[in-house]
Amino acid sequence: MTVLTAVHTSQYAVPLEAVGREQLEQVGGKAANLGETLRAGLPVPTGFCVTTDSYAVVAARAGLEKTLDALAGTAPEDGARLDQLAAAAREALLSAPVPDDVADAVREAYDALGGGRDLPVAVRSSATAEDLPGASFAGQQDTYLNIVGADNVIDATRRCWASLWTDRAVAYRARNAIDPHGVRLAVVVQRQIESRVAGVMFTANPVTGRRREAVIDASYGLGEAVVSGAATPDHFVVDVATGEVRERRIGDKRVRILALAGGGTKREELPATSGREGAGEACLTDVQVRELARLGERVERYYGAPQDTEWGIDGDGVLWLLQARPITTLYPLPAGAPEPSRELRVYFSFNVAQGVFQPLTPMGVQAFRLIASSAARLWGATVDDPVAGPSTLLEAGHRIFIDATSPLRSTLGRRLAPRVLENMEVRSGAVLHEVLNDPRLAPRPASRFLPLRFARLLWRTRIPTGVVRSMIDPRAGRAAAQLAGMRSLALGRTPVAASAAERVDALERMLTEGPPLIFSAVVPNMVAGLGSFAIARGLLRGVASDHDLEPLRRGLRHNPTTEMDTGLSRLAERLRLDAASAAALRERSMDDLGEAYEARSLPPALQRGVAEFLERYGHRGVAEIDLGEPRWRDDARHVLGVLANYLAQSTDAVAPHAQFERVADEADRAVRALAARVGHPLRALAVRILLTRYRELAGLRELPKFHVVALLDQGRRLLDPVGDELAAAGRLEVPSDVYLLTIPEVRRALGGWDARPLADQRREALALERRRKHIPRWLLSDGTELGAGAPAAPAALGDGVLTGAAASAGTVTATARVILDPRGARLTPGEILVAPSTDPGWTPLFLTAGGLVMEMGGPMSHGAIVAREYGIPAVVGVAGATDRIRTGQKVTVDGTKGTVAVVQE
């Protein structure tokens, strides 16, 4: 023990029991976690850590700085260059001498660990950027097992240092935007456990996300056979609360890795015969499986989050914990999610429904808490704190989820939800049966007050009166809807000299009182329009099929998003005739054009045209539902890029606005043709009037979002000066950080609180969430992602053929272009746009697209609606479309059948 105390004082080696999370920069993630678990009394083998100071000394002698500079400047996509630089870093470290004081510290610690004898040890890498809540880096650096002798430990340590720069580790860090200058490596040296059985255990199911469900893979020998994938292990799934083994799958376990007496390991391949020892039998008893699950529960409880662990059972049957790291792939649960054994809740992703995968800023979430509060109060629900929002609106992973448990437990909700989702988001609807068939969510009797609530809602909003008005005079209905938008914006107007506190009050008032005005004025138009269509459809039964009615859904006028896009197209046609403007758009970069627009130095026609467009539509943008995201008026480059895209079309091509008018005229003619099919004159007149009402009103379905986004833009105008004031006072780093706060936090900062540390923390959290690749559509409160672990649906029909939901009829064969972000994107006229999802910020691209393929959405989602109105074939809800289709491939989009076929590589 005296020797260990001496090691503890060393700069280069410390015992594991002396380290924890507070020494992360000195010992790395793995050592910090192991030290924590040792101090918690968990069964972890003792050992020591060779600190990052040791690595730093050797790295300095290796002269890595130029290589690190080159790595920092290399794009993540340049794999060949990354590999070349990684190899140079490894070679430099392997050839650099280990200083005597570092080597002596390792020898001293090794001797103390073995009590003076050569003890077999495991030598594991422990990087400063691994085993962290945001990135586990599992398997990125090397481990060496059964190392015997101090010299061999030093050699294995050197190889661990070099493994910080393996090709896989360098590529992983590049993809996660981690600066190579900031990573260092410590090395864990632990007493080697001669495992009879070993493996890995996740304390939550990594496939389905379900918490309190341990997943265990186990095989004979050292755990390396399981970790490396060399053996097909036994597989167990255990309910942690009850100890029930829910799944048991026996692997062949034909490969095992054993420790050799003098050091090192050997790989042993066993015959594939049922007569050999252990074949067809589990390597763990149910008692051991439950013991492992209990150990996992202790580890998870200590860390407060699900863990990915490695474990071993020695020859005496003693269970050891060899490693623990966070499971970083699990989607976080909303705060306050109930204990799974007590209650189950169902959460639906508002982000997915809106086609916005990126996380929302805290102020963006705050805005929807206020809007949701106003909606809840309109419905008659009690909301104690509008700023906090109703209990049905939750946040997880900086995204919004709706608690849909109550509707899905009602008889009416269970009937309506699948129909709604079939049209809004096909893939969300496809997995809904998992909820409806779950006995834990059996339906409950509806509240007897439900009809009274509906009656109260209709009375307060005057919807019936509005429906009658819109049926009689659609223009009056549209005018009322526009007036409601203006009245809601007026709630956020403040004097020029208004204080910051008054601006925040105006924001809260506008987002609380404005949405009910919009709802009450727009909904009657929607009811009148859709109701007219439904009645006309009934009158046409036996005379016209659904296919005959499909053209009526296209070219709907009075849609603000369509008007925005066609207005941009008309502007492009005018600019084509202005030589200076056309030359600027064709020859200058978007950055240059954007700077010139801000300086008001573009050619006059272009400067004036863009300014007029932004005056009406500048409140829109990509991810526009987030109040914290800039608008087109904040950065005109996107609009300028769309104009340049339009000008790239051949002069022989039909202009997008002309194409829209052609589709709209065809739909108007279809109304007359359908009415003519009806034999009875009065019935024919009714059909014509009803279908005309539908086409005059149904386009307003985009108007509520248009008005709400205008409110969010007005909110930015209110908050921008507040950010300026807080930054000038030193309470925020930059003015835009005001969007990293909530309204109560802004008020607190105006009172003198320094919000910079919190803003920095939120900025890092958002950056981390932006790298998340997968967002669940449905999430249960026990962590289960509905549909996870099952084949993605819709599935491929055959080689190169994918299925989705038919969204806009027609067939087109053209070159595909995969676009993940519309900002700055170019689409050659006629190309097939392949996108994860779309919102109104994408739709200018639709005007030059020959067809549309989306991973998300349903027939009534935004992208599908706009595609129909422009008359371009579209298929939505195509699983993995952006991965399975590549830019440059020729594809056939059949918007009638709902298929996408790759016809030429």
Side-chain angles (χ1 to χ4, degrees), residues 579-605:
S581 297
L585 289 170
R586 290 192 179 106
E587 297 169 8
R588 296 167 69 173
S589 71
M590 290 306 105
D591 287 342
D592 184 23
L593 289 170
E595 291 174 4
Y597 176 76
E598 290 299 319
R600 300 184 180 182
S601 61
L602 288 172

Side-chain angles (χ1 to χ4, degrees), residues 675 678-688:
V678 181
H680 194 285
L682 290 179
R683 192 176 177 187
L685 178 62
V687 167
R688 184 167 180 173

Side-chain angles (χ1 to χ4, degrees), residues 445-468:
S447 168
R448 64 179 183 272
F449 298 111
L450 190 60
L452 293 176
R453 282 194 166 186
F454 269 115
R456 183 174 183 269
L457 175 66
L458 294 175
W459 173 259
R460 294 186 64 185
T461 58
R462 303 291 192 271
I463 286 177
T465 304
V467 171
V468 173

Side-chain angles (χ1 to χ4, degrees), residues 551-567:
L552 303 181
R553 302 178 188 273
R554 300 177 183 172
L556 290 170
R557 297 184 174 90
H558 312 301
N559 181 324
T561 302
T562 304
E563 291 173 344
M564 173 187 75
D565 295 339
T566 55

Side-chain angles (χ1 to χ4, degrees), residues 359-371:
L360 304 184
T361 60
M363 190 60 76
V365 175
Q366 173 70 88
F368 275 98
R369 291 191 187 279
L370 290 168
I371 293 170

Side-chain angles (χ1 to χ4, degrees), residues 27 31 48-51 123-126 156-157 160-161 185-189:
V27 300
F48 63 92
C49 176
V50 183
T51 67
V123 181
R124 306 173 185 270
S125 303
S126 179
T157 299
C160 283
W161 288 334
L185 191 92
V187 176
V188 173
V189 180

Side-chain angles (χ1 to χ4, degrees), residues 376-623:
R377 286 179 167 177
L378 196 62
W379 173 244
T382 300
V383 180
D384 295 329
D385 181 4
V387 173
S391 60
T392 51
L393 187 140
L394 305 108
E395 179 183 357
H398 291 276
R399 296 170 180 89
I400 294 175
F401 285 81
I402 308 298
D403 188 336
T405 311
S406 295
L408 291 177
R409 299 198 76 163
S410 74
T411 305
L412 179 62
R414 292 166 79 88
R415 285 203 304 265
L416 291 179
R419 297 179 185 178
V420 171
L421 289 171
E422 280 174 6
N423 288 299
M424 184 175 70
E425 218 292 297
V426 171
R427 292 168 64 192
S428 292
V431 299
L432 186 58
H433 69 276
E434 293 186 39
V435 173
L436 302 183
N437 295 332
D438 192 319
R440 297 173 295 174
L441 294 162
R444 292 174 176 170
S447 168
R448 64 179 183 272
F449 298 111
L450 190 60
L452 293 176
R453 282 194 166 186
F454 269 115
R456 183 174 183 269
L457 175 66
L458 294 175
W459 173 259
R460 294 186 64 185
T461 58
R462 303 291 192 271
I463 286 177
T465 304
V467 171
V468 173
R469 177 193 58 207
S470 296
M471 289 291 291
I472 296 172
D473 186 354
R475 285 178 297 182
R478 294 196 299 268
Q482 294 293 353
L483 178 61
M486 291 187 288
R487 288 176 60 200
S488 62
L489 280 174
L491 293 167
R493 294 203 182 107
T494 57
V496 175
S499 68
E502 289 171 331
R503 289 176 170 275
V504 176
D505 291 342
L507 172 66
E508 183 175 345
R509 179 177 63 250
M510 178 182 67
L511 293 180
T512 304
E513 300 177 15
L517 295 176
I518 296 169
F519 176 86
S520 301
V522 177
V523 167
N525 291 286
M526 300 302 302
V527 172
L530 296 177
S532 297
F533 185 84
I535 297 170
R537 186 178 184 180
L539 293 174
L540 288 166
R541 188 173 291 116
V543 177
S545 66
D546 286 345
H547 178 74
D548 295 328
L549 294 171
E550 184 63 28
L552 303 181
R553 302 178 188 273
R554 300 177 183 172
L556 290 170
R557 297 184 174 90
H558 312 301
N559 181 324
T561 302
T562 304
E563 291 173 344
M564 173 187 75
D565 295 339
T566 55
L568 204 54
S569 171
R570 288 187 173 90
L571 173 58
E573 287 302 293
R574 295 200 305 271
L575 296 175
R576 188 189 296 276
L577 303 177
D578 183 79
S581 297
L585 289 170
R586 290 192 179 106
E587 297 169 8
R588 296 167 69 173
S589 71
M590 290 306 105
D591 287 342
D592 184 23
L593 289 170
E595 291 174 4
Y597 176 76
E598 290 299 319
R600 300 184 180 182
S601 61
L602 288 172
L606 178 57
Q607 183 76 35
R608 183 172 59 254
V610 172
E612 290 172 352
F613 176 83
L614 292 180
E615 179 63 29
R616 184 171 184 185
Y617 298 110
H619 64 282
R620 311 220 71 168
V622 179

Side-chain angles (χ1 to χ4, degrees), residues 244-373:
E244 175 195 358
V245 181
R246 290 176 172 165
E247 185 179 338
R248 181 186 290 101
R249 188 170 64 245
I250 308 304
D252 61 27
K253 304 182 288 294
R254 288 183 55 192
V255 174
R256 61 183 175 186
I257 297 175
L258 302 173
L260 296 174
T265 60
K266 73 171 182 177
R267 175 187 171 116
E268 184 177 77
E269 295 197 21
L270 304 175
T273 58
S274 58
R276 70 174 170 82
E277 183 182 357
E281 299 178 359
C283 61
L284 292 174
T285 66
D286 281 4
V287 172
Q288 289 173 317
V289 168
R290 294 187 184 99
E291 184 184 3
L292 269 166
R294 286 193 295 271
L295 174 62
E297 184 179 24
R298 289 175 62 194
V299 176
E300 180 176 311
R301 188 184 305 118
Y302 180 78
Y303 283 109
Q307 299 290 303
D308 165 9
T309 69
E310 294 180 23
W311 53 270
I313 299 176
D314 64 21
D316 296 324
V318 178
L319 173 61
W320 295 92
L321 178 67
L322 306 178
Q323 190 168 302
R325 62 170 71 90
I327 306 176
T328 58
T329 55
L330 295 176
Y331 197 83
L333 291 173
E339 181 69 24
S341 60
R342 180 173 57 85
E343 184 184 7
L344 189 69
R345 309 296 296 180
V346 186
Y347 308 129
F348 178 63
S349 173
F350 177 79
N351 276 64
V352 168
Q354 291 293 319
V356 178
F357 294 160
Q358 70 184 53
L360 304 184
T361 60
M363 190 60 76
V365 175
Q366 173 70 88
F368 275 98
R369 291 191 187 279
L370 290 168
I371 293 170
S373 295

